[in-house]
């Protein structure tokens, strides 16, 4: 047992879209920032041994006879890069194929020679440098060094020591940028990464950086002095929970820890011990029944359709109409006359696809929040089980052909008109088959055909619960998450459930009138729980961790 009431506990809710952190007992989190982060891979010098078997009928030895390949040192991408990458140099193009093998096309005296086979092998490295370090700009250039100063690692009589290239060491040297400001600043070759996929943590290094940012940069606290309450998804595995406990006790040295399910915290935030929680966040939508403070795992339902998926649908739909969202970094606006601005496009060829997509999603998400709302009724005549996209498309066009247009001003000053998409995009939550009507989203059509709409998921989840609590669950359906804050979503879900649920059921969908409370309901529930006096005996203390190990978390936090 831990007496956690001496100091304020810290509550952290790491969602698929944002991370919320703050003190227990407060009404709202102190820090809210994206749970994605950006990374710039480090560059370094590496010794490269080139073995040319045959080149246009000419034979070359390892010293580069005939002056074709008279260099021994290249700047190459660090080996932890995940995507196939091409880096062009004065005399060579390297294309990453595997960890050690590269194929290259060399130029001989300004002309491209056809190489039948070239094997390029990394055999050693020199200390790496940061790519964006202004002090090392000269050192980072791809100039070919003087052949006399180059140490050839394949020379047996060389006394110089060449260290093996350590990919794991290189991985630890990548620069990670966390927070809204850091993500808002564009950098060359910067990738945007998320630690969570399908509601489960897949990259613990990113999670550690997010926790560091929340605790040390935002809350400015020493984690050794505060117990931690962490929100977790209902589908979290035992392995994930034990890893969380190990990190918190071993790295952060917290005095006590508690892991609580998202659905349970949402239920507590509304003052209920039994409810059906519909949590629609950035990455997915989860339906979880809670009975007497415990999640009924057998009845949990999930869908991959969340806020980011809807944002992608909106972007693709706008692009099909010739409206492309320009990321904020791709232009600048200057005032040419009072009240009159001119937009100048900027070209950044080294911007990664992931960062461009992230920047566009931010704008698309704002459009979605400002103008989109769930329609009162589904598209007329559309059968959710219909897989014929042409039929669905014709119905969709006829249903919302007379929708009035709503203006929205993009960051570049362009005003766009949004009509049917205002209702069509949110309706994907209720009828995933509508994805087939959105140009550019055809690749998701097969997946969408297998996904059920919100009303069907709710009824299926309740039917998997004990018959004695179904009536109570129907009357206590709670909405939470950022996507659930969409206008008219509560009314539409209640209307559809009344039509599809048993007559004896008394359907009641509950949602906070305050959109902020609905968005932060998981965190607010954790804040309430961790501040209760009766809860203080529930903590998983550091002494219990040292005595029983990480697996004891299953017993302390069921």
């Amino acid at each position: 047992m831990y007496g956690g009431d001496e100091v304020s506990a810290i509550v952290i809710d790491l969602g698929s879209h944002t991370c919320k952190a703050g003190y227990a007992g407060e009404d709202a989190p102190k820090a809210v920032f994206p749970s994605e982060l950006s990374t710039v891979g480090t560059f370094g010098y590496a010794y490269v041994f080139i073995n040319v078997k045959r080149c246009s009928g000419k034979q070359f030895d390892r010293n580069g006879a005939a002056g074709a390949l008279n260099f021994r040192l290249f700047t190459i991408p660090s080996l932890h890069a995940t995507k196939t990458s091409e880096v062009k140099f004065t005399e060579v193009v390297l294309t990453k194929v595997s960890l050690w093998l590269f194929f290259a096309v060399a130029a001989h005296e300004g002309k491209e020679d056809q190489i039948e086979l070239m094997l390029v092998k990394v055999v050693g490295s020199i200390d790496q440098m940061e790519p964006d370090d202004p002090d090392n700009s000269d050192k980072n250039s791809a100039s070919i060094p003087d052949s006399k100063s180059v140490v050839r690692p394949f020379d047996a009589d060389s006394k110089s020591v060449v260290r093996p290239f350590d990919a794991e060491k290189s991985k630890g040297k990548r620069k990670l940028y966390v927070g809204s400001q850091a993500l808002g600043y564009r950098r060359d070759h910067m990738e945007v990464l998320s630690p969570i996929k399908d509601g489960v943590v897949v990259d613990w290094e990113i999670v550690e950086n997010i926790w560091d940012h929340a605790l040390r940069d935002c809350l400015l606290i020493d984690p050794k002095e505060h117990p931690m309450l962490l929100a977790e998804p209902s589908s979290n595995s035992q392995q994930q929970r034990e890893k969380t406990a190990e990190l918190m006790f071993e790295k952060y040295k917290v005095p006590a820890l508690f892991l609580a399910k998202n659905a349970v915290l949402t239920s507590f935030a509304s003052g209920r011990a039994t409810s059906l929680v519909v949590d629609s966040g950035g990455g997915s939508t989860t339906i979880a029944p809670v009975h007497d403070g415990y999640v009924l795992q057998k009845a949990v339902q999930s869908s991959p359709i969340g806020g980011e998926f809807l944002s992608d649908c909106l972007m693709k739909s706008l692009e099909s109409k010739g409206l492309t969202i320009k990321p904020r970094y791709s232009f600048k606006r200057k005032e040419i006359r009072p009240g009159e601005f001119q937009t100048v496009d900027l070209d950044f060829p080294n911007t990664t696809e992931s960062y461009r997509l992230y920047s566009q999603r931010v704008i698309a998400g704002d459009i979605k929040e400002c103008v989109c709302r769930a329609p009162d009724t589904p598209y007329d005549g559309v059968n959710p089980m219909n897989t014929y996209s042409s039929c669905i498309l014709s119905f969709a066009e006829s249903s919302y052909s007379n929708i009035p247009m709503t203006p929205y001003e993009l960051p570049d000053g362009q005003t766009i008109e949004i009509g049917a998409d205002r209702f069509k995009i949110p309706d994907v939550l209720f009828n995933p088959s509508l994805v087939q009507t959105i140009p550019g989203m055809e690749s998701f059509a097969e997946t969408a055909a297998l996904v059920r709409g919100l009303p069907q998921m709710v009824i299926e989840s309740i039917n998997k619960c004990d018959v004695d609590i179904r009536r109570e669950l129907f009357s206590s359906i709670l909405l939470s998450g950022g996507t659930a804050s969409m206008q008219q979503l509560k009314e539409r879900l209640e209307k559809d459930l009344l039509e599809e649920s048993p007559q004896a059921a008394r359907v009641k969908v509950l949602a906070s009138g305050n959109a902020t409370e609905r968005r932060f309901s998981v965190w607010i529930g954790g804040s309430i729980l961790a501040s209760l006096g009766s809860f203080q005996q529930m903590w998983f203390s550091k002494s219990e961790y040292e005595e029983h190990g990480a697996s004891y978390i299953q017993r302390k936090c069921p």
Side-chain angles (χ1 to χ4, degrees):
M1 190 178 83
Y2 172 78
D5 50 354
E6 296 94 348
V7 292
S8 294
I10 301 298
V11 180
I12 300 178
D13 173 22
L14 177 57
S16 56
H17 185 255
T18 55
C19 177
K20 286 77 70 178
Y23 294 97
E26 296 192 350
D27 296 334
K30 288 278 187 190
V32 181
F33 57 90
S35 55
E36 296 164 309
L37 54 72
S38 55
T39 176
V40 178
T42 57
F43 287 72
Y45 289 126
Y47 289 108
V48 177
F49 170 57
I50 302 176
N51 179 20
V52 183
K53 296 294 183 185
R54 185 161 63 86
C55 179
S56 295
K58 299 178 182 178
Q59 298 294 327
F60 294 95
D61 60 19
R62 67 183 184 184
N63 294 320
L69 300 170
N70 59 356
F71 47 87
R72 290 286 176 270
L73 205 60
F74 299 105
T75 301
I76 65 171
S78 56
L79 295 181
H80 72 265
T82 55
K83 294 183 178 179
T84 300
S85 55
E86 285 192 359
V87 181
K88 294 187 178 180
F89 299 102
T90 309
E91 296 184 78
V92 74
V93 179
L94 294 180
T95 303
K96 182 171 179 182
V97 177
S98 65
L99 189 62
W100 296 107
L101 300 182
F102 295 77
F103 290 105
V105 178
H108 174 50
E109 297 177 354
K111 298 179 180 179
E112 290 187 359
D113 284 336
Q114 186 66 36
I115 294 180
E116 184 172 285
L117 176 63
M118 175 179 279
L119 177 63
V120 182
K121 182 175 180 181
V122 180
V123 293
S125 70
I126 301 175
D127 290 341
Q128 294 185 339
M129 297 177 299
E130 297 300 337
D132 51 356
D133 187 352
D135 298 331
N136 291 329
S137 57
D138 295 334
K139 299 177 186 178
N140 284 333
S141 64
S143 59
I144 301 170
D146 181 39
S147 60
K148 294 181 181 179
S149 64
V150 175
V151 177
R152 295 191 175 94
F154 44 77
D155 288 343
D157 56 348
S158 173
K159 296 181 180 179
S160 301
V161 177
V162 180
R163 289 174 294 239
F165 196 96
D166 190 343
E168 288 302 315
K169 186 177 180 181
S170 166
K171 184 177 179 180
K173 289 192 175 185
R174 64 177 177 175
K175 284 189 76 91
L176 299 171
Y177 301 91
V178 190
S180 303
Q181 277 190 320
L183 277 167
Y185 182 75
R186 193 208 68 84
R187 297 172 177 84
D188 285 350
H189 308 292
M190 185 169 77
E191 298 280 356
V192 177
L193 307 173
S194 174
I196 297 174
K197 184 178 181 180
D198 299 328
V200 178
V201 173
V202 292
D203 192 325
W204 285 99
E205 183 189 2
I206 297 178
V207 170
E208 288 179 49
N209 279 272
I210 290 173
W211 285 344
D212 285 341
H213 180 72
L215 298 173
R216 298 193 166 99
D217 298 336
C218 299
L219 301 182
L220 304 175
I221 62 158
D222 183 354
K224 296 178 183 177
E225 300 174 357
H226 298 266
M228 297 281 168
L229 188 146
L230 304 181
E232 62 172 355
S234 301
S235 57
N236 221 16
S237 65
Q238 180 176 346
Q239 184 182 4
Q240 299 270 325
R241 305 182 95 211
E242 290 179 9
K243 177 69 174 177
T244 303
E246 285 176 13
L247 279 175
M248 277 293 160
F249 285 119
E250 299 292 347
K251 180 181 177 180
Y252 296 98
K253 311 291 184 185
V254 298
L257 173 70
F258 193 84
L259 302 182
K261 306 287 188 188
N262 291 341
V264 173
L265 296 181
T266 297
S267 195
F268 286 165
S270 68
R272 289 172 170 79
T274 299
S275 65
L276 184 81
V277 177
V278 179
D279 188 351
S280 187
S284 61
T285 297
T286 304
I287 316 289
V290 178
H291 181 59
D292 288 340
Y294 294 94
V295 174
L296 304 178
Q297 294 289 350
K298 64 178 181 180
V300 173
Q301 303 286 313
S302 63
S303 162
I305 297 178
E308 289 181 1
F309 185 85
L310 296 183
S311 296
D312 289 345
C313 289
L314 180 59
M315 281 195 299
K316 293 293 185 183
S317 184
L318 293 176
E319 285 174 9
S320 69
K321 298 176 176 65
L323 302 172
T324 302
I325 298 175
K326 289 183 180 178
R328 293 181 187 273
Y329 65 80
S330 66
F331 64 87
K332 65 177 180 179
R333 298 184 71 191
K334 60 180 181 179
E335 192 171 20
I336 53 177
R337 281 185 284 280
E340 187 177 345
F341 294 86
Q342 182 182 21
T343 302
V344 180
D345 290 336
L346 303 175
D347 183 29
F348 294 106
N350 293 327
T351 303
T352 62
E353 181 67 18
S354 65
Y355 186 74
R356 183 190 66 81
L357 182 61
Y358 167 79
S359 302
Q360 289 180 315
R361 272 180 177 165
V362 171
I363 300 170
D366 188 66
I367 299 174
K368 184 182 64 183
E369 291 177 15
C370 291
V371 305
C372 289
R373 51 166 284 182
D376 297 329
T377 57
Y379 284 141
D380 294 336
V382 176
N383 179 5
M385 301 305 292
N386 196 342
T387 57
Y388 297 99
S389 58
S390 58
C391 295
I392 298 177
L393 182 59
S394 62
F395 280 127
E397 289 175 347
S398 62
S399 297
Y400 281 152
S401 56
N402 298 320
I403 294 286
M405 307 295 272
T406 300
Y408 180 89
E409 184 177 357
L410 295 170
D412 62 353
Q414 177 188 4
T415 300
I416 61 174
E417 299 284 337
I418 301 175
D421 287 337
R422 290 177 56 206
F423 301 95
K424 183 176 173 182
I425 300 303
D427 209 19
V428 171
L429 282 168
F430 296 87
N431 183 9
S433 298
L434 286 174
V435 170
Q436 301 172 62
T437 70
I438 301 172
M441 297 297 289
E442 292 85 0
S443 59
F444 297 96
E446 190 174 336
T447 304
L450 303 175
V451 177
R452 298 171 305 284
L454 270 184
Q456 292 79 29
M457 289 172 64
V458 167
I459 291 174
E460 189 170 333
S461 176
I462 293 177
N463 286 339
K464 287 186 176 181
C465 297
D466 192 273
V467 68
D468 295 335
I469 64 170
R470 290 178 190 174
R471 192 182 183 91
E472 188 176 1
L473 292 175
F474 267 118
S475 62
S476 302
I477 300 172
L478 303 179
L479 288 182
S480 72
T483 306
S485 303
M486 195 174 294
Q487 301 175 54
Q488 297 298 310
L489 186 71
K490 169 182 173 292
E491 289 78 7
R492 168 67 186 279
L493 179 59
E494 189 169 89
K495 178 178 179 296
D496 285 7
L497 286 174
L498 283 169
E499 294 174 358
E500 298 187 30
S501 60
Q503 289 186 348
R506 186 166 167 244
V507 176
K508 186 68 177 175
V509 179
L510 306 165
S512 173
N514 187 332
T516 304
E517 288 183 11
R518 202 182 303 185
R519 187 182 298 269
F520 300 145
S521 60
V522 172
W523 187 92
I524 292 171
S527 175
I528 294 170
L529 182 64
S531 61
L532 294 175
S534 57
F535 174 74
Q536 303 314 313
Q537 61 183 347
M538 305 287 289
W539 290 105
F540 180 28
S541 68
K542 186 174 179 63
S543 60
E544 288 175 319
Y545 170 77
E546 291 170 347
E547 181 181 351
H548 301 285
S551 60
Y552 201 60
I553 191 82
Q554 294 293 108
R555 185 170 177 180
K556 293 293 292 186
C557 310

